Amino acid sequence: MAVTDEAIEKIKDMIVSGALRPGDRLPKESQLAAELGLSRNSLREAVRALSLIRVLDVRQGDGTYVTSLDPQLLLQDLSFVVDFHQDDTALEFLAVRRVLEPAATALACARITDAELDELSAHLDALGPRPSVRQLVDCDLEFHRRIARASGNSVLCSLLDGLSGPTTRARVWRTLTRNGAAARTLYEHRAILGALRDRDTEAARSWATVHVASAEHWLRAAL
């Protein structure tokens, strides 16, 4: 188990056991890290990840609190991602995205400028070799947003932008829990970018399909 995963599990166990209840403030970082036998860095990453999906609420200058989640949800023998999506809604969003994202990418292939492609490349380069979960998810959202804009279809762009929010939690948990997910995401981004540079519409469409489908397949397996 990765260090960040271990930190997340330990915080989750505290919530499930009742040691931390909705509305409770977490102990100071140094104290909590010592209690859980974690480094402060791994604890910090876990808190960031849990705040992204609103399990924790980080209040600047005040502290970090457990949100008002129903603790019974956390007692189920499933991952948080399943707790938050008790039906197939997330899968339905991803299925729609799997239809629209490749279409937008194919349209962008003929319209995107070399300058926009250079900006996309610089955007990926800026992540560095070991991005945090927050950085990777933010990059993923912005990468697809820029391609959608380049499609030239404002309606399609708006639809995809609306689909991004409901699938963010799935992206976060896939990155945290699946070995190699971050590297695979970056590889697929580079493949999409390469196809766009080559003006290869079918390759761009195919890579976009693979990219979205991999997240969908992971969530289907988790559910």
Side-chain angles (χ1 to χ4, degrees):
M1 181 182 290
V3 175
T4 302
D5 293 353
E6 180 184 2
I8 289 168
E9 285 300 314
K10 287 186 175 182
I11 295 174
K12 183 173 119 175
D13 287 345
M14 291 181 73
I15 297 172
V16 171
S17 69
L20 285 173
R21 297 181 179 278
D24 282 356
R25 179 178 175 176
L26 268 64
K28 290 183 179 180
E29 184 181 87
S30 57
Q31 179 186 341
L32 186 58
E35 286 179 8
L36 298 179
L38 300 167
S39 72
R40 293 177 70 171
N41 282 340
S42 61
L43 177 61
R44 203 170 293 134
E45 283 298 311
V47 168
R48 284 198 194 102
L50 292 171
S51 67
L52 273 173
I53 55 172
R54 301 178 185 177
V55 174
L56 298 178
D57 179 19
V58 180
R59 304 175 190 173
Q60 293 299 326
D62 187 7
T64 300
Y65 293 79
V66 179
T67 62
S68 58
L69 283 172
D70 179 355
Q72 292 303 312
L73 292 177
L74 305 178
L75 292 173
Q76 298 175 28
D77 187 23
L78 296 170
S79 66
F80 273 142
V81 68
V82 183
D83 293 333
F84 292 143
H85 300 291
Q86 301 251 336
D87 53 25
D88 291 335
T89 302
L91 283 171
E92 290 175 358
F93 276 111
L94 282 169
V96 174
R97 188 169 167 243
R98 178 164 43 85
V99 173
L100 297 183
E101 196 80 53
T105 306
L107 285 172
C109 204
R111 296 171 177 266
I112 195 166
T113 67
D114 289 340
E116 287 172 327
L117 288 169
D118 289 341
E119 288 175 3
L120 272 179
S121 182
H123 184 64
L124 295 179
D125 291 341
L127 275 180
R130 294 174 63 86
S132 68
V133 174
R134 181 185 294 275
Q135 289 171 325
L136 187 66
V137 172
D138 286 348
C139 176
D140 186 59
L141 292 170
E142 183 62 20
F143 180 82
H144 292 289
R145 187 176 292 120
R146 292 187 186 199
I147 291 175
R149 282 201 303 262
S151 73
N153 188 313
S154 60
V155 175
L156 184 56
C157 186
S158 296
L159 286 170
L160 284 168
D161 204 42
L163 289 170
S164 293
T167 61
T168 298
R169 283 174 176 162
R171 298 184 201 190
V172 170
W173 279 103
R174 177 172 175 259
T175 303
L176 285 171
T177 61
R178 182 174 177 179
N179 290 334
R184 177 170 180 169
T185 295
L186 292 174
Y187 175 81
E188 290 167 356
H189 280 175
R190 292 289 183 187
I192 292 169
L193 181 59
L196 290 172
R197 280 198 184 280
D198 292 340
R199 309 295 174 180
D200 188 334
T201 302
E202 289 310 310
R205 189 197 308 274
S206 296
W207 274 113
T209 302
V210 167
H211 182 57
V212 179
S214 62
E216 184 184 354
H217 290 165
W218 170 83
L219 184 56
R220 192 177 299 280
L223 290 170

